[in-house]
Amino acid sequence: MVEPAERPSAAGQRLSAPDSFGISTLEPGHRPPAQSPPGRQVSIRVQMLDDTQEVFQISQRSPGKALFDLVCVHLNVVEGDYFGLEYQDHRKMMVWLDLLKPTLKQLRRPKNTILRFVVKFFPPDHTQLLEELTRYLFALQIKRDLACGHLICNDTSAALMVSHIIQSEIGDFDETQSWQHLLHNKYLPDQDAIRDKITDCHRKHV
């Protein structure tokens, strides 16, 4: 089993995630410090999994971990080792913020860069997630990855996952409401092709 403070196995890695050295960001049962080293303060914008954005003040010399800890405190995230901050570099590629290196040495244009707080590792066994908030954030990540086409799966699995998302949003199945909800909300790039499968799965949930 993978403990939160250890590097997850390959089976537990997020799809398409670059290799990580498994830097421990939190000790079990402890909250991260919300302090930056002294020095001139710089504003950094971070987008959360619910698409809201927050601005954090960090020192010019502070490492990536200082910013990451501020985000975790803001969100009240305890199981921080499952998450990370990513941003688009000068090659237009998404890369992870290195927690040991100074943040401003990694961001070419910090005022114009939006970092994203995202799930970095998926554990092989979901029961390892101890906090309800962690499970909620994982659900938001899966919802986003499905909508963007980053989470590749067969139609049956996709329909089942979307049906659970709809169940959490509108409750038990109602044919008219379910169809209207699917018409006005996009969960999959090819959603229309498996709409019947989604509603069939939703019908079985209580």
Side-chain angles (χ1 to χ4, degrees), residues 43-48 50-57 67 70-71 74-75 113-115:
S43 298
I44 302 292
R45 186 174 297 275
V46 178
Q47 180 170 311
M48 309 304 174
D50 62 358
D51 291 330
T52 60
Q53 294 185 4
E54 297 292 339
V55 176
F56 298 91
Q57 301 293 324
L67 174 61
L70 286 171
V71 177
H74 172 76
L75 294 174
T113 301
I114 298 177
L115 290 93

Side-chain angles (χ1 to χ4, degrees), residues 31 70-79 131 133:
R31 292 180 61 101
L70 286 171
V71 177
C72 286
V73 169
H74 172 76
L75 294 174
N76 201 28
V77 169
V78 176
E79 297 174 287
E131 298 287 325
L133 175 59

Side-chain angles (χ1 to χ4, degrees), residues 2 6-20 120-124:
V2 181
E6 298 176 356
R7 182 184 179 182
S9 65
Q13 278 195 305
R14 181 182 170 199
L15 296 177
S16 303
D19 290 338
S20 167
K120 193 171 185 177
F121 301 113
F122 284 105

Side-chain angles (χ1 to χ4, degrees), residues 57-206:
Q57 301 293 324
I58 63 169
S59 166
Q60 282 187 316
R61 297 173 293 181
S62 64
K65 186 177 185 301
L67 174 61
F68 181 76
D69 287 349
L70 286 171
V71 177
C72 286
V73 169
H74 172 76
L75 294 174
N76 201 28
V77 169
V78 176
E79 297 174 287
D81 286 317
Y82 292 117
F83 301 92
L85 292 171
E86 65 178 9
Y87 65 97
Q88 190 177 68
D89 67 5
H90 65 281
R91 300 164 296 174
K92 305 297 183 182
M93 296 178 61
M94 298 304 296
V95 297
W96 296 112
L97 184 72
D98 190 315
L99 300 187
L100 297 181
K101 295 180 181 178
T103 297
L104 296 188
K105 286 191 175 181
Q106 300 178 65
L107 308 180
R108 174 170 288 190
R109 302 174 66 188
K111 290 183 179 180
N112 300 316
T113 301
I114 298 177
L115 290 93
R116 298 197 308 171
F117 179 82
V118 295
V119 175
K120 193 171 185 177
F121 301 113
F122 284 105
D125 182 1
H126 69 88
T127 60
Q128 292 176 228
L129 303 178
L130 304 178
E131 298 287 325
E132 183 177 351
L133 175 59
T134 307
R135 294 192 290 270
Y136 169 70
L137 293 174
F138 268 56
L140 290 180
Q141 183 71 63
I142 292 171
K143 180 180 177 181
R144 169 177 288 180
D145 288 350
L146 281 171
C148 296
H150 294 162
L151 182 55
I152 307 301
C153 55
N154 59 45
D155 288 351
T156 301
S157 297
L160 180 60
M161 284 190 282
V162 171
S163 72
H164 281 295
I165 294 171
I166 296 174
Q167 171 77 11
S168 71
E169 292 178 347
I170 67 174
D172 291 349
F173 178 77
D174 175 87
E175 187 165 359
T176 301
Q177 185 182 18
S178 182
W179 274 92
Q180 287 295 320
H181 194 75
L182 283 169
L183 284 173
H184 293 96
N185 295 275
K186 195 75 170 177
Y187 299 102
L188 297 166
D190 56 348
Q191 179 170 296
D192 292 343
I194 62 170
R195 192 182 301 169
D196 289 339
K197 283 189 176 183
I198 296 172
T199 55
D200 286 343
C201 291
H202 186 195
R203 186 179 284 109
K204 299 173 184 177
H205 301 326
V206 178

